[in-house]
């Protein structure tokens, strides 16, 4: 159970394809999936329902056959290895505990299958239960535990066999909001303490941002972008990623063009030509573009205010919401509705009030439309 017992493993996907065949025809659930997960890394698969997250995870576990491509764990080909021979453990949303077994026996299950000695099993199970803080429930049945406690048992059962890779399929979605936050922090702590490689499936962007070394954003079976939470938020490669992660203002820009010096682009916004950076250099001349402006980059001033050095536009407040630590405004402008998040400003705004929105050109990103 200690870090020294587990050798962190890499997981490499090369051009993985999964096609399901049924009497209704073939469904391509995953296509051209290529990714290298580094030893000890926590990578999240993030994307809308049906984009292929669970399917990809189940191919790593061996619960689904890989139609095409190659899967390596620590450089060893896994495609044809039986699930129970793969060095992985999986934690499910439904916990999947054995209802008729005590907590202790649930945690011990995998070790008993392996025919470990009684003494070794006792010691490993005790350590795993201690790590997960469930020692006091050892003799209870799963139905005598809360959802959060059951998920801890599932985690203890997953780590007790000292897998090289931990797989999580939306493990927190049955828990209430507060407990989710607590458990995700704990999962991250344990993953780092053990130094174990982990792949975490979620459709909750905040969850992915808070625990991941890198995030894989998926759409319709394909990878849209791989990057650190900062990369994905600050430099989304297209409208889909920008929209999926965080809140965004996306302006239609007609005929953006590369700026003469290169490196940036010129877009027409609020009746002005504005030089802006291109996110991740993914936009190419001639392609449809969108100008991305995150709401926290928008300033809102009183109507008629004099603001120098920024792009400004008059507007009218159409929504005002107070969240304590920040305020959310929506203003109607010549470019449509503009969302703003104002931190550390206490001014109350009335709906219908005139205002002036302002932003810096370098806070805009030109991204690929759609
Ligand atoms: N056994 C199956 N037979 C046929 N199609 C399937 C099967 N399992 C999944 N699919 C299809 O494959 C696609 C990907 O499904 P998958 O379960 O991987 O999505 P997901 O990203 O995990 O979604 P969710 O967030 O809803 O859990 C979907 O279009 C789904 O309908
Ligand atoms: Mg799923």
């Amino acid at each position: 159970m200690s870090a020294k017992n587990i050798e962190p493993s890499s997981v490499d996907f090369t051009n993985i394809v999964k096609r399901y065949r049924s009497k209704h025809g073939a469904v391509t659930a995953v296509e051209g999936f290529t990714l290298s997960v580094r030893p000890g890394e926590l990578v999240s698969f993030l994307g809308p329902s049906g984009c292929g997250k669970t399917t990809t995870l189940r191919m790593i576990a061996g619960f689904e056959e890989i139609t095409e491509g190659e899967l390596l764990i620590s450089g060893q080909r896994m495609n044809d290895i039986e699930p129970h021979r793969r060095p992985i453990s999986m934690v499910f949303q439904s916990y999947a505990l054995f209802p008729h077994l005590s907590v202790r026996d649930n945690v011990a299950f995998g070790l008993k299958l392996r025919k470990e000695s009684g003494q070794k099993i006792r010691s490993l199970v005790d350590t795993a239960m201690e790590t997960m803080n469930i020692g006091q429930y050892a003799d209870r049945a799963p139905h005598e535990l809360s959802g959060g406690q059951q998920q801890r048992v599932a985690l203890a059962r997953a780590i007790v066999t000292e897998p090289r890779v931990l797989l999580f399929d939306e493990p927190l979605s049955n828990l209430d909001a507060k407990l989710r936050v607590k458990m995700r922090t704990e999962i991250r702590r344990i993953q780092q303490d053990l130094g174990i490689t982990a792949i975490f499936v979620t459709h909750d962007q905040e969850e992915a941002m808070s625990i991941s070394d890198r995030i894989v954003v998926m759409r319709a079976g394909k990878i849209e972008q791989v990057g650190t939470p900062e990369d994905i938020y600050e430099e989304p490669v297209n409208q889909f990623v920008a929209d999926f992660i965080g809140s965004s203002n996306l302006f239609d820009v007609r005929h953006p063009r590369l700026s003469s010096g290169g490196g940036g682009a010129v877009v027409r916004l609020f009746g002005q030509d504005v030089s802006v950076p291109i996110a991740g250099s993914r936009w190419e001349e001639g392609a449809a573009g969108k100008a991305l402006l995150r709401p926290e980059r928008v300033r809102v001033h009183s109507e008629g205010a004099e603001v120098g050095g920024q792009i400004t536009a008059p507007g009218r407040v159409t929504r005002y919401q107070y969240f304590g630590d920040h305020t959310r405004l929506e203003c109607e402008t010549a470019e449509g509705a503009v969302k703003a998040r104002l931190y550390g400003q206490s001014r109350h705004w009335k709906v219908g009030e005139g205002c002036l929105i302002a932003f810096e050109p370098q806070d805009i990103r030109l991204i690929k439309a759609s």
Side-chain angles (χ1 to χ4, degrees), residues 23 43 52 101 121 159 179 219 226 236 275 291 298 301 305-306 310 351 356 364:
K23 53 181 187 277
V43 168
L101 295 184
I121 291 177
I159 60 178
L179 200 52
R219 165 163 66 163
V226 182
S275 288
V298 179
H301 302 278
E306 292 288 329
Q310 296 184 332
V351 169
L356 184 83
I364 294 272

Side-chain angles (χ1 to χ4, degrees), residues 95-369:
Y95 319 136
L97 299 174
F98 302 110
H100 55 285
L101 295 184
S102 68
V103 165
R104 173 179 289 281
D105 289 340
N106 262 285
V107 177
F109 191 82
L111 297 171
K112 284 185 178 161
L113 272 188
R114 278 197 205 159
K115 306 228 180 324
E116 300 284 0
S117 75
Q119 194 189 350
K120 183 167 181 196
I121 291 177
R122 246 190 320 282
S123 138
L124 286 172
V125 168
D126 282 343
T127 314
M129 289 199 301
E130 196 181 311
T131 305
M132 288 317 305
N133 254 316
I134 50 169
Q136 68 269 44
Y137 312 122
D139 299 318
R140 290 204 199 167
H143 71 86
E144 295 168 318
L145 300 175
S146 72
Q149 290 160 348
Q150 290 182 49
Q151 193 54 295
R152 282 167 192 280
V153 177
L155 261 163
R157 188 181 57 182
I159 60 178
V160 77
T161 54
E162 301 181 333
R164 291 174 164 221
V165 181
L166 268 176
L167 306 175
F168 295 93
D169 194 359
E170 309 230 10
L172 307 178
S173 33
N174 284 345
L175 305 177
D176 68 51
K178 268 224 164 102
L179 200 52
R180 286 176 75 126
V181 172
K182 185 163 179 244
M183 284 296 287
R184 78 186 186 209
T185 311
E186 215 161 313
I187 286 177
R188 179 58 159 163
R189 176 183 62 80
I190 288 161
Q191 179 263 335
Q192 286 184 318
D193 282 357
L194 298 177
I196 195 169
T197 310
I199 300 178
F200 191 100
V201 163
T202 180
H203 55 244
D204 180 333
Q205 45 129 338
E206 190 191 290
E207 200 164 280
M209 302 270 281
S210 66
I211 66 167
S212 310
D213 293 303
R214 284 189 301 160
I215 297 174
V216 177
V217 182
M218 296 175 67
R219 165 163 66 163
K222 293 187 181 151
I223 295 179
E224 290 285 315
Q225 188 169 4
V226 182
T228 62
E230 291 89 340
D231 287 339
I232 301 266
Y233 186 82
E234 304 288 345
E235 307 287 337
V237 296
N238 58 27
Q239 185 180 351
F240 175 85
V241 175
D243 239 357
F244 200 78
I245 309 289
S247 171
S248 40
N249 293 299
L250 289 161
F251 302 111
D252 285 323
V253 281
R254 286 159 294 277
H255 313 302
R257 54 182 202 276
L258 283 176
S259 54
S260 48
V266 178
V267 299
R268 190 128 187 106
L269 267 182
F270 296 103
Q272 301 174 55
D273 280 336
V274 187
S275 288
V276 302
I278 299 172
S281 303
R282 294 292 186 93
W283 177 82
E284 284 156 19
E285 186 114 63
K290 291 270 181 184
L292 164 68
L293 177 62
R294 295 291 188 186
E296 68 275 15
R297 305 290 186 180
V298 179
R299 299 277 160 272
V300 185
H301 302 278
S302 300
E303 193 170 22
E306 292 288 329
V307 184
Q310 296 184 332
I311 306 297
T312 58
R316 192 156 297 283
V317 176
T318 50
R319 197 169 67 204
Y320 167 81
Q321 293 173 316
Y322 177 72
F323 285 85
D325 63 336
H326 75 282
T327 302
R328 293 184 199 174
L329 289 181
E330 199 169 280
C331 308
E332 194 52 39
T333 70
E335 296 283 356
V338 174
K339 288 177 272 184
R341 284 192 189 186
L342 310 174
Y343 289 84
Q345 283 189 20
S346 57
R347 167 146 160 30
H348 179 91
W349 290 86
K350 283 200 281 295
V351 169
E353 194 175 338
C355 62
L356 184 83
I357 66 150
F359 57 89
E360 304 278 351
Q362 68 262 28
D363 286 336
I364 294 272
R365 288 290 175 280
L366 178 61
I367 59 178
K368 270 201 307 199

Side-chain angles (χ1 to χ4, degrees), residues 20-22 27-29 47-56 64 169-170 201 203:
Y20 289 110
R21 292 187 193 289
S22 71
V27 177
T28 304
S49 187
C51 72
K53 305 181 295 292
T54 295
T55 300
T56 307
E64 295 292 351
D169 194 359
E170 309 230 10
V201 163
H203 55 244

